């Protein structure tokens, strides 16, 4: 058999696009734009401040590798009684307030339900909640509202959500002044 000769390959021609003109045009355009006069700031609603989660300013509870191995929940984030009362007020604002039940189908909660939810989300320990409830009772009795529990005050027909927030704020101030 006779070897066949292939025709020689055509020479490789490199085509280069000269983009220097386009780049120069883009650079000139960008240089013609005015420089920003101030640094960009986060958006703030004209009606108030930006929406934040109820636990803002506190770290989220996170599970350690040992927690995952032991299949247990994350350790609670330590909070003081005053911080627990402030978080309870924020949670009430976020979830909505309710009278006559711990919570309802829409997620609204009463005072006790909000305290339980803050605890269930991993902020504080049961002893912290108990100390906070004692502070609430102290404020109720000191302000001339003798009741057997904060829940009784929560469920009174004359009590409003603003009253609960004011009560929590006063109890948090009292707890902070006592170092709790």
């Amino acid at each position: 058999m006779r070897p066949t000769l292939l025709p020689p390959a055509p020479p490789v021609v490199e085509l280069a696009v000269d983009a220097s003109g386009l780049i120069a045009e883009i650079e000139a355009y960008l240089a013609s734009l005015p420089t920003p006069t101030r640094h960009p700031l986060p958006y703030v609603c004209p009606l108030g401040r930006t929406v934040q989660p109820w636990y803002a300013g506190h770290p989220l509870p996170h599970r350690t590798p040992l927690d995952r191995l032991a299949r247990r929940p994350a350790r609670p984030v330590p909070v003081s009684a005053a911080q627990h009362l402030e978080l309870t007020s924020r949670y009430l604002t976020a979830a909505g307030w309710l009278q006559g039940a711990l919570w309802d189908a829409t997620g609204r909660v009463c005072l006790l339900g909000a305290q339980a939810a803050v605890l269930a989300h991993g902020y504080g320990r049961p002893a912290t909640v108990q100390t906070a409830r004692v502070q609430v009772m102290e404020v109720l009795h000191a302000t001339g509202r003798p009741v057997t529990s904060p829940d009784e005050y929560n469920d009174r027909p004359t009590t409003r959500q603003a009253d609960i927030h004011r009560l929590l704020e006063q109890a948090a101030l009292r707890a902070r002044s006592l170092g709790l």
Side-chain angles (χ1 to χ4, degrees), residues 1 3-4 9 27 29 37-39 69-71 88 103 106 118 125 130 135-136 146 176 180:
M1 188 180 238
T4 59
E27 287 175 346
Y29 169 73
T37 56
R38 59 185 179 141
H39 300 290
L69 282 174
R71 294 187 178 150
T88 301
W103 57 79
T106 62
V118 169
R125 298 185 177 277
Q130 184 61 38
Q135 296 308 307
V136 170
R176 187 166 280 113
L180 303 174

Side-chain angles (χ1 to χ4, degrees), residues 152-173:
E152 181 183 330
Y153 177 72
N154 181 85
D155 293 339
R156 282 185 175 173
T158 57
T159 302
R160 300 290 173 247
Q161 184 174 0
D163 300 329
I164 298 297
H165 288 293
R166 195 172 307 109
L167 173 66
L168 289 169
E169 181 183 1
Q170 291 170 346
L173 287 171

Side-chain angles (χ1 to χ4, degrees), residues 69-91:
L69 282 174
R71 294 187 178 150
R72 64 182 179 208
R75 293 179 190 256
V77 173
V79 294
S80 66
Q83 290 172 325
H84 173 79
L85 291 164
E86 291 166 353
L87 286 171
T88 301
S89 181
R90 288 189 200 170
Y91 190 86

Side-chain angles (χ1 to χ4, degrees), residues 37-62:
T37 56
R38 59 185 179 141
H39 300 290
L41 298 173
Y43 174 74
V44 177
C45 176
L47 302 176
R49 59 187 191 157
T50 58
V51 177
Q52 296 180 350
W54 63 269
Y55 52 84
H58 297 277
L60 287 171
H62 66 281

Side-chain angles (χ1 to χ4, degrees), residues 13 40 50 83 102 109 116 130 139 151 160:
V13 178
T50 58
Q83 290 172 325
L102 278 176
V109 291
Q130 184 61 38
V139 169
D151 311 316
R160 300 290 173 247

